[in-house]
PDB file of all heavy atoms in Angstrom:
ATOM      1  N   ILE A   1       0.846  -1.177   0.008  1.00 94.00           N
ATOM      2  CA  ILE A   1      -0.011   0.009   0.007  1.00 94.00           C
ATOM      3  C   ILE A   1       0.875   1.244   0.004  1.00 94.00           C
ATOM      4  O   ILE A   1       1.813   1.330   0.812  1.00 94.00           O
ATOM      5  CB  ILE A   1      -0.952   0.057   1.219  1.00 94.00           C
ATOM      6  CG1 ILE A   1      -1.776  -1.235   1.313  1.00 94.00           C
ATOM      7  CG2 ILE A   1      -1.886   1.262   1.107  1.00 94.00           C
ATOM      8  CD1 ILE A   1      -2.632  -1.288   2.576  1.00 94.00           C
ATOM      9  N   VAL A   2       0.552   2.177  -0.846  1.00 96.00           N
ATOM     10  CA  VAL A   2       1.238   3.453  -0.918  1.00 96.00           C
ATOM     11  C   VAL A   2       0.193   4.522  -0.683  1.00 96.00           C
ATOM     12  O   VAL A   2      -0.837   4.519  -1.344  1.00 96.00           O
ATOM     13  CB  VAL A   2       2.005   3.641  -2.236  1.00 96.00           C
ATOM     14  CG1 VAL A   2       2.636   5.061  -2.274  1.00 96.00           C
ATOM     15  CG2 VAL A   2       3.089   2.618  -2.430  1.00 96.00           C
ATOM     16  N   TYR A   3       0.542   5.466   0.177  1.00 98.00           N
ATOM     17  CA  TYR A   3      -0.425   6.525   0.529  1.00 98.00           C
ATOM     18  C   TYR A   3       0.080   7.857   0.014  1.00 98.00           C
ATOM     19  O   TYR A   3       1.313   8.088  -0.147  1.00 98.00           O
ATOM     20  CB  TYR A   3      -0.570   6.638   2.058  1.00 98.00           C
ATOM     21  CG  TYR A   3      -1.041   5.365   2.699  1.00 98.00           C
ATOM     22  CD1 TYR A   3      -0.121   4.510   3.321  1.00 98.00           C
ATOM     23  CD2 TYR A   3      -2.377   5.020   2.719  1.00 98.00           C
ATOM     24  CE1 TYR A   3      -0.538   3.307   3.920  1.00 98.00           C
ATOM     25  CE2 TYR A   3      -2.804   3.837   3.361  1.00 98.00           C
ATOM     26  CZ  TYR A   3      -1.883   2.990   3.915  1.00 98.00           C
ATOM     27  OH  TYR A   3      -2.297   1.842   4.538  1.00 98.00           O
ATOM     28  N   LEU A   4      -0.841   8.747  -0.221  1.00 98.00           N
ATOM     29  CA  LEU A   4      -0.506  10.131  -0.533  1.00 98.00           C
ATOM     30  C   LEU A   4      -1.372  11.053   0.294  1.00 98.00           C
ATOM     31  O   LEU A   4      -2.551  11.153   0.032  1.00 98.00           O
ATOM     32  CB  LEU A   4      -0.701  10.434  -2.036  1.00 98.00           C
ATOM     33  CG  LEU A   4      -0.285  11.825  -2.476  1.00 98.00           C
ATOM     34  CD1 LEU A   4       1.229  12.001  -2.381  1.00 98.00           C
ATOM     35  CD2 LEU A   4      -0.754  12.117  -3.905  1.00 98.00           C
ATOM     36  N   GLN A   5      -0.773  11.651   1.313  1.00 98.00           N
ATOM     37  CA  GLN A   5      -1.484  12.596   2.140  1.00 98.00           C
ATOM     38  C   GLN A   5      -1.351  13.960   1.493  1.00 98.00           C
ATOM     39  O   GLN A   5      -0.271  14.441   1.251  1.00 98.00           O
ATOM     40  CB  GLN A   5      -0.894  12.653   3.569  1.00 98.00           C
ATOM     41  CG  GLN A   5      -1.541  13.622   4.480  1.00 98.00           C
ATOM     42  CD  GLN A   5      -2.980  13.321   4.809  1.00 98.00           C
ATOM     43  OE1 GLN A   5      -3.289  12.184   5.068  1.00 98.00           O
ATOM     44  NE2 GLN A   5      -3.849  14.335   4.713  1.00 98.00           N
ATOM     45  N   MET A   6      -2.494  14.617   1.207  1.00 98.00           N
ATOM     46  CA  MET A   6      -2.503  15.875   0.497  1.00 98.00           C
ATOM     47  C   MET A   6      -3.116  16.908   1.390  1.00 98.00           C
ATOM     48  O   MET A   6      -4.281  16.806   1.803  1.00 98.00           O
ATOM     49  CB  MET A   6      -3.275  15.749  -0.789  1.00 98.00           C
ATOM     50  CG  MET A   6      -2.814  14.656  -1.720  1.00 98.00           C
ATOM     51  SD  MET A   6      -3.706  14.619  -3.290  1.00 98.00           S
ATOM     52  CE  MET A   6      -5.337  14.159  -2.714  1.00 98.00           C
ATOM     53  N   ASN A   7      -2.357  17.935   1.735  1.00 98.00           N
ATOM     54  CA  ASN A   7      -2.801  19.041   2.567  1.00 98.00           C
ATOM     55  C   ASN A   7      -2.760  20.349   1.809  1.00 98.00           C
ATOM     56  O   ASN A   7      -2.096  20.458   0.767  1.00 98.00           O
ATOM     57  CB  ASN A   7      -1.914  19.144   3.817  1.00 98.00           C
ATOM     58  CG  ASN A   7      -1.983  17.896   4.684  1.00 98.00           C
ATOM     59  OD1 ASN A   7      -2.999  17.256   4.799  1.00 98.00           O
ATOM     60  ND2 ASN A   7      -0.876  17.630   5.327  1.00 98.00           N
ATOM     61  N   SER A   8      -3.451  21.339   2.291  1.00 98.00           N
ATOM     62  CA  SER A   8      -3.514  22.671   1.674  1.00 98.00           C
ATOM     63  C   SER A   8      -3.807  22.590   0.207  1.00 98.00           C
ATOM     64  O   SER A   8      -3.124  23.217  -0.640  1.00 98.00           O
ATOM     65  CB  SER A   8      -2.184  23.402   1.929  1.00 98.00           C
ATOM     66  OG  SER A   8      -1.913  23.521   3.330  1.00 98.00           O
ATOM     67  N   LEU A   9      -4.840  21.820  -0.147  1.00 98.00           N
ATOM     68  CA  LEU A   9      -5.181  21.604  -1.537  1.00 98.00           C
ATOM     69  C   LEU A   9      -5.633  22.887  -2.223  1.00 98.00           C
ATOM     70  O   LEU A   9      -6.298  23.733  -1.612  1.00 98.00           O
ATOM     71  CB  LEU A   9      -6.254  20.521  -1.626  1.00 98.00           C
ATOM     72  CG  LEU A   9      -5.762  19.108  -1.410  1.00 98.00           C
ATOM     73  CD1 LEU A   9      -6.915  18.165  -1.141  1.00 98.00           C
ATOM     74  CD2 LEU A   9      -4.976  18.627  -2.648  1.00 98.00           C
ATOM     75  N   GLN A  10      -5.247  22.989  -3.458  1.00 97.00           N
ATOM     76  CA  GLN A  10      -5.543  24.160  -4.284  1.00 97.00           C
ATOM     77  C   GLN A  10      -6.332  23.679  -5.525  1.00 97.00           C
ATOM     78  O   GLN A  10      -6.309  22.498  -5.863  1.00 97.00           O
ATOM     79  CB  GLN A  10      -4.257  24.870  -4.740  1.00 97.00           C
ATOM     80  CG  GLN A  10      -3.330  25.243  -3.591  1.00 97.00           C
ATOM     81  CD  GLN A  10      -1.921  25.592  -4.068  1.00 97.00           C
ATOM     82  OE1 GLN A  10      -1.637  25.571  -5.260  1.00 97.00           O
ATOM     83  NE2 GLN A  10      -1.044  25.859  -3.095  1.00 97.00           N
ATOM     84  N   ALA A  11      -6.993  24.643  -6.188  1.00 97.00           N
ATOM     85  CA  ALA A  11      -7.709  24.314  -7.360  1.00 97.00           C
ATOM     86  C   ALA A  11      -6.798  23.683  -8.435  1.00 97.00           C
ATOM     87  O   ALA A  11      -7.231  22.816  -9.216  1.00 97.00           O
ATOM     88  CB  ALA A  11      -8.390  25.544  -7.971  1.00 97.00           C
ATOM     89  N   GLU A  12      -5.560  24.083  -8.459  1.00 96.00           N
ATOM     90  CA  GLU A  12      -4.590  23.551  -9.425  1.00 96.00           C
ATOM     91  C   GLU A  12      -4.247  22.120  -9.177  1.00 96.00           C
ATOM     92  O   GLU A  12      -3.632  21.460 -10.025  1.00 96.00           O
ATOM     93  CB  GLU A  12      -3.325  24.398  -9.416  1.00 96.00           C
ATOM     94  CG  GLU A  12      -3.500  25.833  -9.963  1.00 96.00           C
ATOM     95  CD  GLU A  12      -4.191  26.746  -8.980  1.00 96.00           C
ATOM     96  OE1 GLU A  12      -4.236  26.442  -7.812  1.00 96.00           O
ATOM     97  OE2 GLU A  12      -4.756  27.787  -9.442  1.00 96.00           O
ATOM     98  N   ASP A  13      -4.638  21.577  -8.029  1.00 98.00           N
ATOM     99  CA  ASP A  13      -4.389  20.144  -7.722  1.00 98.00           C
ATOM    100  C   ASP A  13      -5.449  19.256  -8.335  1.00 98.00           C
ATOM    101  O   ASP A  13      -5.318  18.005  -8.250  1.00 98.00           O
ATOM    102  CB  ASP A  13      -4.328  19.933  -6.213  1.00 98.00           C
ATOM    103  CG  ASP A  13      -3.157  20.663  -5.566  1.00 98.00           C
ATOM    104  OD1 ASP A  13      -2.062  20.577  -6.113  1.00 98.00           O
ATOM    105  OD2 ASP A  13      -3.368  21.269  -4.482  1.00 98.00           O
ATOM    106  N   THR A  14      -6.497  19.818  -8.881  1.00 98.00           N
ATOM    107  CA  THR A  14      -7.557  19.047  -9.501  1.00 98.00           C
ATOM    108  C   THR A  14      -7.041  18.235 -10.665  1.00 98.00           C
ATOM    109  O   THR A  14      -6.450  18.779 -11.591  1.00 98.00           O
ATOM    110  CB  THR A  14      -8.721  19.955  -9.968  1.00 98.00           C
ATOM    111  OG1 THR A  14      -9.315  20.600  -8.830  1.00 98.00           O
ATOM    112  CG2 THR A  14      -9.748  19.135 -10.729  1.00 98.00           C
ATOM    113  N   ALA A  15      -7.185  16.919 -10.616  1.00 98.00           N
ATOM    114  CA  ALA A  15      -6.669  16.049 -11.641  1.00 98.00           C
ATOM    115  C   ALA A  15      -7.082  14.611 -11.314  1.00 98.00           C
ATOM    116  O   ALA A  15      -7.615  14.318 -10.264  1.00 98.00           O
ATOM    117  CB  ALA A  15      -5.133  16.137 -11.714  1.00 98.00           C
ATOM    118  N   ILE A  16      -6.829  13.736 -12.280  1.00 98.00           N
ATOM    119  CA  ILE A  16      -6.902  12.298 -11.969  1.00 98.00           C
ATOM    120  C   ILE A  16      -5.504  11.882 -11.481  1.00 98.00           C
ATOM    121  O   ILE A  16      -4.506  12.169 -12.121  1.00 98.00           O
ATOM    122  CB  ILE A  16      -7.278  11.462 -13.230  1.00 98.00           C
ATOM    123  CG1 ILE A  16      -8.633  11.927 -13.762  1.00 98.00           C
ATOM    124  CG2 ILE A  16      -7.306   9.981 -12.901  1.00 98.00           C
ATOM    125  CD1 ILE A  16      -9.013  11.214 -15.047  1.00 98.00           C
ATOM    126  N   TYR A  17      -5.508  11.220 -10.307  1.00 98.00           N
ATOM    127  CA  TYR A  17      -4.245  10.806  -9.720  1.00 98.00           C
ATOM    128  C   TYR A  17      -4.057   9.324  -9.975  1.00 98.00           C
ATOM    129  O   TYR A  17      -4.917   8.487  -9.716  1.00 98.00           O
ATOM    130  CB  TYR A  17      -4.302  11.076  -8.201  1.00 98.00           C
ATOM    131  CG  TYR A  17      -4.081  12.536  -7.889  1.00 98.00           C
ATOM    132  CD1 TYR A  17      -5.065  13.471  -8.195  1.00 98.00           C
ATOM    133  CD2 TYR A  17      -2.912  12.982  -7.311  1.00 98.00           C
ATOM    134  CE1 TYR A  17      -4.846  14.828  -7.937  1.00 98.00           C
ATOM    135  CE2 TYR A  17      -2.677  14.290  -7.055  1.00 98.00           C
ATOM    136  CZ  TYR A  17      -3.672  15.226  -7.338  1.00 98.00           C
ATOM    137  OH  TYR A  17      -3.460  16.560  -7.068  1.00 98.00           O
ATOM    138  N   TYR A  18      -2.860   9.002 -10.514  1.00 98.00           N
ATOM    139  CA  TYR A  18      -2.520   7.624 -10.899  1.00 98.00           C
ATOM    140  C   TYR A  18      -1.388   7.127 -10.038  1.00 98.00           C
ATOM    141  O   TYR A  18      -0.450   7.848  -9.711  1.00 98.00           O
ATOM    142  CB  TYR A  18      -2.096   7.529 -12.341  1.00 98.00           C
ATOM    143  CG  TYR A  18      -3.189   7.877 -13.338  1.00 98.00           C
ATOM    144  CD1 TYR A  18      -3.335   9.192 -13.839  1.00 98.00           C
ATOM    145  CD2 TYR A  18      -4.076   6.940 -13.779  1.00 98.00           C
ATOM    146  CE1 TYR A  18      -4.307   9.519 -14.732  1.00 98.00           C
ATOM    147  CE2 TYR A  18      -5.027   7.252 -14.732  1.00 98.00           C
ATOM    148  CZ  TYR A  18      -5.153   8.530 -15.178  1.00 98.00           C
ATOM    149  OH  TYR A  18      -6.129   8.822 -16.104  1.00 98.00           O
ATOM    150  N   CYS A  19      -1.446   5.887  -9.699  1.00 97.00           N
ATOM    151  CA  CYS A  19      -0.360   5.157  -9.020  1.00 97.00           C
ATOM    152  C   CYS A  19       0.437   4.356 -10.042  1.00 97.00           C
ATOM    153  O   CYS A  19      -0.154   3.646 -10.856  1.00 97.00           O
ATOM    154  CB  CYS A  19      -0.928   4.278  -7.932  1.00 97.00           C
ATOM    155  SG  CYS A  19       0.291   3.291  -7.033  1.00 97.00           S
ATOM    156  N   GLY A  20       1.768   4.485  -9.995  1.00 96.00           N
ATOM    157  CA  GLY A  20       2.609   3.752 -10.893  1.00 96.00           C
ATOM    158  C   GLY A  20       3.657   2.982 -10.128  1.00 96.00           C
ATOM    159  O   GLY A  20       4.018   3.321  -9.005  1.00 96.00           O
ATOM    160  N   ALA A  21       4.159   1.911 -10.743  1.00 95.00           N
ATOM    161  CA  ALA A  21       5.175   1.049 -10.115  1.00 95.00           C
ATOM    162  C   ALA A  21       6.163   0.558 -11.155  1.00 95.00           C
ATOM    163  O   ALA A  21       5.815   0.346 -12.292  1.00 95.00           O
ATOM    164  CB  ALA A  21       4.531  -0.110  -9.370  1.00 95.00           C
ATOM    165  N   THR A  22       7.392   0.362 -10.710  1.00 94.00           N
ATOM    166  CA  THR A  22       8.438  -0.170 -11.577  1.00 94.00           C
ATOM    167  C   THR A  22       9.560  -0.763 -10.710  1.00 94.00           C
ATOM    168  O   THR A  22       9.528  -0.594  -9.482  1.00 94.00           O
ATOM    169  CB  THR A  22       8.996   0.904 -12.514  1.00 94.00           C
ATOM    170  OG1 THR A  22       9.807   0.333 -13.506  1.00 94.00           O
ATOM    171  CG2 THR A  22       9.788   1.968 -11.699  1.00 94.00           C
ATOM    172  N   GLY A  23      10.490  -1.425 -11.378  1.00 92.00           N
ATOM    173  CA  GLY A  23      11.677  -1.941 -10.662  1.00 92.00           C
ATOM    174  C   GLY A  23      12.630  -0.805 -10.337  1.00 92.00           C
ATOM    175  O   GLY A  23      12.309   0.389 -10.424  1.00 92.00           O
ATOM    176  N   TYR A  24      13.862  -1.202 -10.037  1.00 90.00           N
ATOM    177  CA  TYR A  24      14.863  -0.188  -9.683  1.00 90.00           C
ATOM    178  C   TYR A  24      15.127   0.726 -10.863  1.00 90.00           C
ATOM    179  O   TYR A  24      15.394   0.274 -11.975  1.00 90.00           O
ATOM    180  CB  TYR A  24      16.145  -0.834  -9.251  1.00 90.00           C
ATOM    181  CG  TYR A  24      17.229   0.191  -8.964  1.00 90.00           C
ATOM    182  CD1 TYR A  24      17.289   0.875  -7.783  1.00 90.00           C
ATOM    183  CD2 TYR A  24      18.188   0.493  -9.941  1.00 90.00           C
ATOM    184  CE1 TYR A  24      18.251   1.858  -7.555  1.00 90.00           C
ATOM    185  CE2 TYR A  24      19.182   1.457  -9.754  1.00 90.00           C
ATOM    186  CZ  TYR A  24      19.191   2.130  -8.525  1.00 90.00           C
ATOM    187  OH  TYR A  24      20.162   3.097  -8.313  1.00 90.00           O
ATOM    188  N   ILE A  25      15.093   2.031 -10.602  1.00 92.00           N
ATOM    189  CA  ILE A  25      15.450   3.048 -11.579  1.00 92.00           C
ATOM    190  C   ILE A  25      16.282   4.109 -10.896  1.00 92.00           C
ATOM    191  O   ILE A  25      16.283   4.222  -9.663  1.00 92.00           O
ATOM    192  CB  ILE A  25      14.223   3.697 -12.254  1.00 92.00           C
ATOM    193  CG1 ILE A  25      13.269   4.223 -11.178  1.00 92.00           C
ATOM    194  CG2 ILE A  25      13.506   2.702 -13.160  1.00 92.00           C
ATOM    195  CD1 ILE A  25      12.071   4.958 -11.754  1.00 92.00           C
ATOM    196  N   SER A  26      16.974   4.904 -11.659  1.00 93.00           N
ATOM    197  CA  SER A  26      17.774   5.957 -11.099  1.00 93.00           C
ATOM    198  C   SER A  26      16.884   7.023 -10.455  1.00 93.00           C
ATOM    199  O   SER A  26      15.710   7.182 -10.841  1.00 93.00           O
ATOM    200  CB  SER A  26      18.663   6.583 -12.124  1.00 93.00           C
ATOM    201  OG  SER A  26      17.898   7.291 -13.117  1.00 93.00           O
ATOM    202  N   LYS A  27      17.426   7.779  -9.534  1.00 92.00           N
ATOM    203  CA  LYS A  27      16.623   8.799  -8.895  1.00 92.00           C
ATOM    204  C   LYS A  27      16.160   9.878  -9.892  1.00 92.00           C
ATOM    205  O   LYS A  27      15.124  10.466  -9.723  1.00 92.00           O
ATOM    206  CB  LYS A  27      17.396   9.463  -7.757  1.00 92.00           C
ATOM    207  CG  LYS A  27      18.640  10.222  -8.171  1.00 92.00           C
ATOM    208  CD  LYS A  27      19.297  10.846  -6.933  1.00 92.00           C
ATOM    209  CE  LYS A  27      20.496  11.694  -7.315  1.00 92.00           C
ATOM    210  NZ  LYS A  27      21.131  12.333  -6.111  1.00 92.00           N
ATOM    211  N   GLU A  28      16.975  10.062 -10.943  1.00 94.00           N
ATOM    212  CA  GLU A  28      16.585  10.997 -11.976  1.00 94.00           C
ATOM    213  C   GLU A  28      15.355  10.540 -12.766  1.00 94.00           C
ATOM    214  O   GLU A  28      14.637  11.341 -13.299  1.00 94.00           O
ATOM    215  CB  GLU A  28      17.767  11.229 -12.951  1.00 94.00           C
ATOM    216  CG  GLU A  28      18.919  12.016 -12.340  1.00 94.00           C
ATOM    217  CD  GLU A  28      19.844  11.133 -11.519  1.00 94.00           C
ATOM    218  OE1 GLU A  28      19.712   9.906 -11.602  1.00 94.00           O
ATOM    219  OE2 GLU A  28      20.705  11.691 -10.816  1.00 94.00           O
ATOM    220  N   ALA A  29      15.165   9.240 -12.853  1.00 96.00           N
ATOM    221  CA  ALA A  29      14.077   8.673 -13.642  1.00 96.00           C
ATOM    222  C   ALA A  29      12.770   8.568 -12.835  1.00 96.00           C
ATOM    223  O   ALA A  29      11.716   8.337 -13.449  1.00 96.00           O
ATOM    224  CB  ALA A  29      14.451   7.302 -14.170  1.00 96.00           C
ATOM    225  N   ILE A  30      12.836   8.719 -11.554  1.00 96.00           N
ATOM    226  CA  ILE A  30      11.649   8.559 -10.728  1.00 96.00           C
ATOM    227  C   ILE A  30      10.528   9.473 -11.109  1.00 96.00           C
ATOM    228  O   ILE A  30       9.364   9.157 -11.015  1.00 96.00           O
ATOM    229  CB  ILE A  30      12.053   8.703  -9.236  1.00 96.00           C
ATOM    230  CG1 ILE A  30      12.900   7.512  -8.795  1.00 96.00           C
ATOM    231  CG2 ILE A  30      10.793   8.853  -8.368  1.00 96.00           C
ATOM    232  CD1 ILE A  30      13.409   7.627  -7.390  1.00 96.00           C
ATOM    233  N   SER A  31      10.869  10.679 -11.554  1.00 97.00           N
ATOM    234  CA  SER A  31       9.870  11.684 -11.892  1.00 97.00           C
ATOM    235  C   SER A  31       9.358  11.590 -13.335  1.00 97.00           C
ATOM    236  O   SER A  31       8.567  12.386 -13.768  1.00 97.00           O
ATOM    237  CB  SER A  31      10.386  13.087 -11.648  1.00 97.00           C
ATOM    238  OG  SER A  31      11.505  13.359 -12.456  1.00 97.00           O
ATOM    239  N   ARG A  32       9.798  10.572 -14.082  1.00 97.00           N
ATOM    240  CA  ARG A  32       9.453  10.426 -15.465  1.00 97.00           C
ATOM    241  C   ARG A  32       8.415   9.321 -15.619  1.00 97.00           C
ATOM    242  O   ARG A  32       8.654   8.161 -15.277  1.00 97.00           O
ATOM    243  CB  ARG A  32      10.705  10.106 -16.300  1.00 97.00           C
ATOM    244  CG  ARG A  32      11.796  11.150 -16.197  1.00 97.00           C
ATOM    245  CD  ARG A  32      13.085  10.695 -16.789  1.00 97.00           C
ATOM    246  NE  ARG A  32      14.191  11.639 -16.575  1.00 97.00           N
ATOM    247  CZ  ARG A  32      15.474  11.379 -16.787  1.00 97.00           C
ATOM    248  NH1 ARG A  32      15.840  10.173 -17.203  1.00 97.00           N
ATOM    249  NH2 ARG A  32      16.372  12.316 -16.540  1.00 97.00           N
ATOM    250  N   SER A  33       7.281   9.651 -16.167  1.00 97.00           N
ATOM    251  CA  SER A  33       6.181   8.711 -16.310  1.00 97.00           C
ATOM    252  C   SER A  33       6.526   7.515 -17.180  1.00 97.00           C
ATOM    253  O   SER A  33       6.042   6.423 -16.980  1.00 97.00           O
ATOM    254  CB  SER A  33       4.918   9.412 -16.798  1.00 97.00           C
ATOM    255  OG  SER A  33       5.128   9.947 -18.097  1.00 97.00           O
ATOM    256  N   MET A  34       7.420   7.768 -18.165  1.00 96.00           N
ATOM    257  CA  MET A  34       7.760   6.704 -19.087  1.00 96.00           C
ATOM    258  C   MET A  34       8.612   5.585 -18.424  1.00 96.00           C
ATOM    259  O   MET A  34       8.748   4.497 -18.972  1.00 96.00           O
ATOM    260  CB  MET A  34       8.565   7.259 -20.253  1.00 96.00           C
ATOM    261  CG  MET A  34       7.759   8.121 -21.190  1.00 96.00           C
ATOM    262  SD  MET A  34       6.416   7.193 -21.972  1.00 96.00           S
ATOM    263  CE  MET A  34       7.396   6.089 -23.012  1.00 96.00           C
ATOM    264  N   ALA A  35       9.100   5.823 -17.200  1.00 96.00           N
ATOM    265  CA  ALA A  35       9.917   4.844 -16.519  1.00 96.00           C
ATOM    266  C   ALA A  35       9.078   3.798 -15.817  1.00 96.00           C
ATOM    267  O   ALA A  35       9.607   2.783 -15.333  1.00 96.00           O
ATOM    268  CB  ALA A  35      10.804   5.536 -15.477  1.00 96.00           C
ATOM    269  N   TYR A  36       7.775   3.973 -15.745  1.00 96.00           N
ATOM    270  CA  TYR A  36       6.925   3.078 -14.994  1.00 96.00           C
ATOM    271  C   TYR A  36       6.244   2.018 -15.837  1.00 96.00           C
ATOM    272  O   TYR A  36       5.717   2.331 -16.924  1.00 96.00           O
ATOM    273  CB  TYR A  36       5.898   3.889 -14.206  1.00 96.00           C
ATOM    274  CG  TYR A  36       6.609   4.682 -13.116  1.00 96.00           C
ATOM    275  CD1 TYR A  36       7.200   5.906 -13.412  1.00 96.00           C
ATOM    276  CD2 TYR A  36       6.654   4.197 -11.812  1.00 96.00           C
ATOM    277  CE1 TYR A  36       7.866   6.606 -12.438  1.00 96.00           C
ATOM    278  CE2 TYR A  36       7.342   4.896 -10.839  1.00 96.00           C
ATOM    279  CZ  TYR A  36       7.928   6.102 -11.160  1.00 96.00           C
ATOM    280  OH  TYR A  36       8.627   6.831 -10.192  1.00 96.00           O
ATOM    281  N   ASP A  37       6.256   0.785 -15.349  1.00 92.00           N
ATOM    282  CA  ASP A  37       5.751  -0.351 -16.088  1.00 92.00           C
ATOM    283  C   ASP A  37       4.258  -0.610 -15.846  1.00 92.00           C
ATOM    284  O   ASP A  37       3.555  -1.176 -16.699  1.00 92.00           O
ATOM    285  CB  ASP A  37       6.521  -1.611 -15.740  1.00 92.00           C
ATOM    286  CG  ASP A  37       8.017  -1.477 -16.041  1.00 92.00           C
ATOM    287  OD1 ASP A  37       8.358  -1.035 -17.120  1.00 92.00           O
ATOM    288  OD2 ASP A  37       8.799  -1.862 -15.158  1.00 92.00           O
ATOM    289  N   ASN A  38       3.806  -0.306 -14.655  1.00 94.00           N
ATOM    290  CA  ASN A  38       2.436  -0.589 -14.251  1.00 94.00           C
ATOM    291  C   ASN A  38       1.746   0.642 -13.724  1.00 94.00           C
ATOM    292  O   ASN A  38       2.326   1.458 -13.057  1.00 94.00           O
ATOM    293  CB  ASN A  38       2.453  -1.704 -13.164  1.00 94.00           C
ATOM    294  CG  ASN A  38       3.130  -2.993 -13.589  1.00 94.00           C
ATOM    295  OD1 ASN A  38       4.335  -3.197 -13.316  1.00 94.00           O
ATOM    296  ND2 ASN A  38       2.396  -3.848 -14.284  1.00 94.00           N
ATOM    297  N   TRP A  39       0.447   0.722 -14.031  1.00 96.00           N
ATOM    298  CA  TRP A  39      -0.364   1.826 -13.605  1.00 96.00           C
ATOM    299  C   TRP A  39      -1.713   1.351 -13.133  1.00 96.00           C
ATOM    300  O   TRP A  39      -2.262   0.342 -13.574  1.00 96.00           O
ATOM    301  CB  TRP A  39      -0.593   2.780 -14.808  1.00 96.00           C
ATOM    302  CG  TRP A  39       0.612   3.471 -15.283  1.00 96.00           C
ATOM    303  CD1 TRP A  39       1.398   3.048 -16.300  1.00 96.00           C
ATOM    304  CD2 TRP A  39       1.198   4.655 -14.776  1.00 96.00           C
ATOM    305  NE1 TRP A  39       2.480   3.945 -16.480  1.00 96.00           N
ATOM    306  CE2 TRP A  39       2.341   4.944 -15.548  1.00 96.00           C
ATOM    307  CE3 TRP A  39       0.862   5.535 -13.775  1.00 96.00           C
ATOM    308  CZ2 TRP A  39       3.146   6.046 -15.324  1.00 96.00           C
ATOM    309  CZ3 TRP A  39       1.649   6.666 -13.510  1.00 96.00           C
ATOM    310  CH2 TRP A  39       2.799   6.884 -14.284  1.00 96.00           C
ATOM    311  N   GLY A  40      -2.284   2.113 -12.158  1.00 97.00           N
ATOM    312  CA  GLY A  40      -3.657   1.890 -11.728  1.00 97.00           C
ATOM    313  C   GLY A  40      -4.608   2.615 -12.655  1.00 97.00           C
ATOM    314  O   GLY A  40      -4.200   3.250 -13.626  1.00 97.00           O
TER     315      GLY A  40
END
């Protein structure tokens, strides 16, 4: 289980939120959606 606690929400936070998972990747790749193999 992975949680995301969101505080001080703003209108700009409105979106569909997706969970992704992958094997080991570099820290630089963590923020890249193309690095993830699985999505909810």
Side-chain angles (χ1 to χ4, degrees):
I1 306 175
V2 177
Y3 304 97
L4 183 68
Q5 178 66 45
M6 306 184 293
N7 299 326
S8 301
L9 284 164
Q10 307 164 3
E12 292 76 20
D13 296 316
T14 295
I16 300 176
Y17 284 70
Y18 296 93
C19 178
T22 190
Y24 175 81
I25 53 176
S26 67
K27 65 178 182 180
E28 291 81 12
I30 290 175
S31 63
R32 302 169 186 167
S33 62
M34 291 296 294
Y36 293 81
D37 301 313
N38 302 96
W39 295 94

